[in-house]
Amino acid sequence: MADHDPDTPDFEVPVGLFQDLEDLKATVTALTAQVKRLTEDADEASQDDDAAAGEEPADTAEEDEAQFPPFILLLDSPQYDDELRALIEWVEGVLVPGYLAEPSSDARWCHLWFEHPVAVARLHALWLAWQELTDPATCGYTGPSVWHRDHLDPCMRELRPSGGPFAGCTKGEHQIDHRMPSIVPSAWNRPE
């Protein structure tokens, strides 16, 4: 038996495997460099913006929190009007034609749903969830299933029963059986 070099494997490795490994190493190296470059560019842009504004860098937690949409009923005009307009487009363009069958005594719907604050609040939350969960970049491909199960179905169970917010509304008739409080509870006010 011939002398065996300890660095040489006892089995044959296909040459293509080594080429694939080298390709993977090159790809990882290129991606690492790209991530580093993008991170540095983002940091520089943030510092430039802060310097131009004459401010010190803000706390990132505060910035992230401010980017999330607020509860629609807490908005004042014109932000409320803009948000409601966008919500109406989504409800009338996506939700009503795609998900709402003919209203009945067991599944009510009001064509003036935007005059019912409870409906506006629930549908706005449903719409926000839809925006997030139908984007594969943020939730993968299971997002629409999660949206149906966790958001659409519970929302419709709350809005459409005979005792729900549309209870007084029938075909050709619209009624809101509630009163609006004159003072918003302090728990709803945000600190400034």
Side-chain angles (χ1 to χ4, degrees):
M1 184 173 211
D3 289 331
H4 185 324
D5 182 10
D7 294 333
T8 307
D10 288 341
F11 54 91
E12 290 187 32
V13 178
V15 175
L17 183 62
F18 288 113
Q19 292 170 341
D20 290 344
L21 185 58
E22 291 304 313
D23 287 345
L24 286 173
K25 286 180 185 177
T27 302
V28 168
T29 302
L31 288 173
T32 302
Q34 184 178 10
V35 167
K36 184 177 179 183
R37 187 175 64 251
L38 290 172
T39 304
E40 288 171 354
D41 290 347
D43 288 343
E44 288 174 12
S46 175
Q47 290 172 0
D48 290 345
D49 291 344
D50 291 341
E55 299 175 1
E56 302 219 358
D59 182 25
T60 57
E62 289 179 29
E63 288 178 11
D64 290 346
E65 187 176 328
Q67 292 177 1
F68 293 105
F71 186 55
I72 190 169
L73 297 182
L74 297 178
L75 296 175
D76 294 321
S77 290
Q79 292 87 8
Y80 176 84
D81 298 332
D82 293 341
E83 196 73 6
L84 182 62
R85 189 175 302 109
L87 175 62
I88 289 171
E89 287 180 23
W90 179 77
V91 169
E92 300 298 328
V94 175
L95 190 66
V96 170
Y99 292 97
L100 301 182
E102 182 68 24
S104 67
S105 61
D106 293 334
R108 296 179 181 262
W109 182 254
C110 179
H111 69 286
L112 298 174
W113 60 267
F114 44 84
E115 293 183 7
H116 298 265
V118 170
V120 169
R122 287 188 178 277
L123 291 170
H124 186 256
L126 182 66
W127 177 50
L128 293 175
W130 180 82
Q131 290 178 67
E132 180 178 332
L133 293 171
T134 56
D135 181 6
T138 59
C139 65
Y141 293 105
T142 60
S145 175
V146 171
W147 180 78
H148 283 92
R149 181 194 68 211
D150 293 349
H151 301 280
L152 176 68
D153 295 342
C155 182
M156 291 300 110
R157 280 193 297 269
E158 292 296 321
L159 288 179
R160 299 193 74 191
S162 58
F166 306 136
C169 303
T170 58
K171 285 187 178 181
E173 198 174 314
H174 172 69
Q175 180 180 356
I176 300 177
D177 287 332
H178 53 76
R179 62 178 182 79
M180 294 299 294
S182 58
I183 299 174
V184 176
S186 62
W188 288 30
N189 292 333
R190 288 184 295 195
E192 297 194 21

